[in-house]
């Protein structure tokens, strides 16, 4: 306690010093408490940020750079790939060749008609007999020639060798087709004429 007298001023100064010291100590305590709180809160905040980053998917960007040589090589290779892949033709079968729109019926009949018409002209000149009589006299020969011509027509077509591919010079596929049609028409007329006549036409 401070009593009245000359020492009152010293006592008041001591009080003010004590107050200042207590205020400084309280300020230091508050600063220490704030630092401790911040130190405690920082790790928890960092852990929360890391947990959120783990939960979110990571987006990665990949940059691809192509050189001019690679672009040119791809541009050059593109038309080659389209040219090098032709559509394969279906393999012909017996049914497809012998169908109404197939090549064998007209082609084989035309070849047989050309053979029959030319043979009829030659043999009628030599023997003086009609075509019907010649067929009766040589049945095996006629059958053998017919089978041979039909088989010879089938084999190249089964190997995908059409008359158009083997056409050279004057021997064209269209020429053979038209000659065969003319021979079929001529042989049919010859049979009709000789059926109504007594002797051979040639």
């Amino acid at each position: 306690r401070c009593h009245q007298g000359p020492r009152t001023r010293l006592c008041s100064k001591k009080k003010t010093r004590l107050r200042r010291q207590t205020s400084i100590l309280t300020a230091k305590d508050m600063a220490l408490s704030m630092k401790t709180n911040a130190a405690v809160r920082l790790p928890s905040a960092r852990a929360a940020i890391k947990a959120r980053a783990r939960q979110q998917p990571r987006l990665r960007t990949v940059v691809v750079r192509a050189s001019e040589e690679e672009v040119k090589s791809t541009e050059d290779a593109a038309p080659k790939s389209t040219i090098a892949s032709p559509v394969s033709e279906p393999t012909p079968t017996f049914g497809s060749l012998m169908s109404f729109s197939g090549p064998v019926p007209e082609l084989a009949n035309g070849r047989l008609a050309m053979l029959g018409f030319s043979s009829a002209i030659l043999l009628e000149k030599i023997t003086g007999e009609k075509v019907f009589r010649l067929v009766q006299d040589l049945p095996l020969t006629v059958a053998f020639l017919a089978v041979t011509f039909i088989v010879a027509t089938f084999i190249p077509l089964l190997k995908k060798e059409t008359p158009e591919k083997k056409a050279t010079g004057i021997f064209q596929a269209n020429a053979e087709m038209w000659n065969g049609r003319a021979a079929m028409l001529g042989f049919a007329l010859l049979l009709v004429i000789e059926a109504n006549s007594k002797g051979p036409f040639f």
Side-chain angles (χ1 to χ4, degrees), residues 170-200:
I170 60 172
F171 299 100
Q172 299 293 327
N174 291 331
E176 184 181 10
M177 192 67 69
W178 282 107
N179 291 332
R181 291 172 181 175
M184 286 188 283
L185 181 60
F187 193 70
L189 289 174
L190 179 63
L191 293 177
V192 171
I193 292 169
E194 290 189 354
N196 297 321
S197 63
K198 298 180 179 179

Side-chain angles (χ1 to χ4, degrees), residues 130-182:
K130 294 182 180 182
V131 175
F132 298 103
R133 185 65 181 175
L134 292 172
V135 173
Q136 291 177 0
D137 293 341
L138 303 169
L140 296 177
T141 304
V142 173
F144 175 76
L145 291 173
V147 172
T148 303
F149 269 67
I150 293 171
V151 172
T153 305
F154 261 106
I155 292 174
L157 294 175
L158 291 173
K159 294 180 179 180
K160 298 182 180 181
E161 295 178 0
T162 58
E164 289 80 5
K165 293 180 180 180
K166 291 189 173 183
T168 54
I170 60 172
F171 299 100
Q172 299 293 327
N174 291 331
E176 184 181 10
M177 192 67 69
W178 282 107
N179 291 332
R181 291 172 181 175

Side-chain angles (χ1 to χ4, degrees), residues 40-83:
V40 171
R41 289 176 182 175
L42 279 174
S44 61
R46 289 176 181 174
I49 291 168
K50 288 181 180 180
R52 289 179 183 176
R54 288 176 183 174
Q55 290 177 358
Q56 293 179 356
R58 295 181 180 178
L59 299 176
R60 297 180 180 178
T61 57
V62 179
V63 179
V64 180
R65 294 180 181 177
S67 62
E68 294 180 358
E69 294 180 356
E70 292 179 354
V71 173
K72 289 180 181 179
S73 63
T74 53
E75 290 177 355
D76 295 338
K80 291 180 181 179
S81 62
T82 55
I83 295 170

Side-chain angles (χ1 to χ4, degrees), residues 1-12:
R1 292 179 183 180
C2 294
H3 299 283
Q4 293 180 358
R7 295 182 179 180
T8 54
R9 292 178 180 177
L10 295 171
C11 187
S12 61

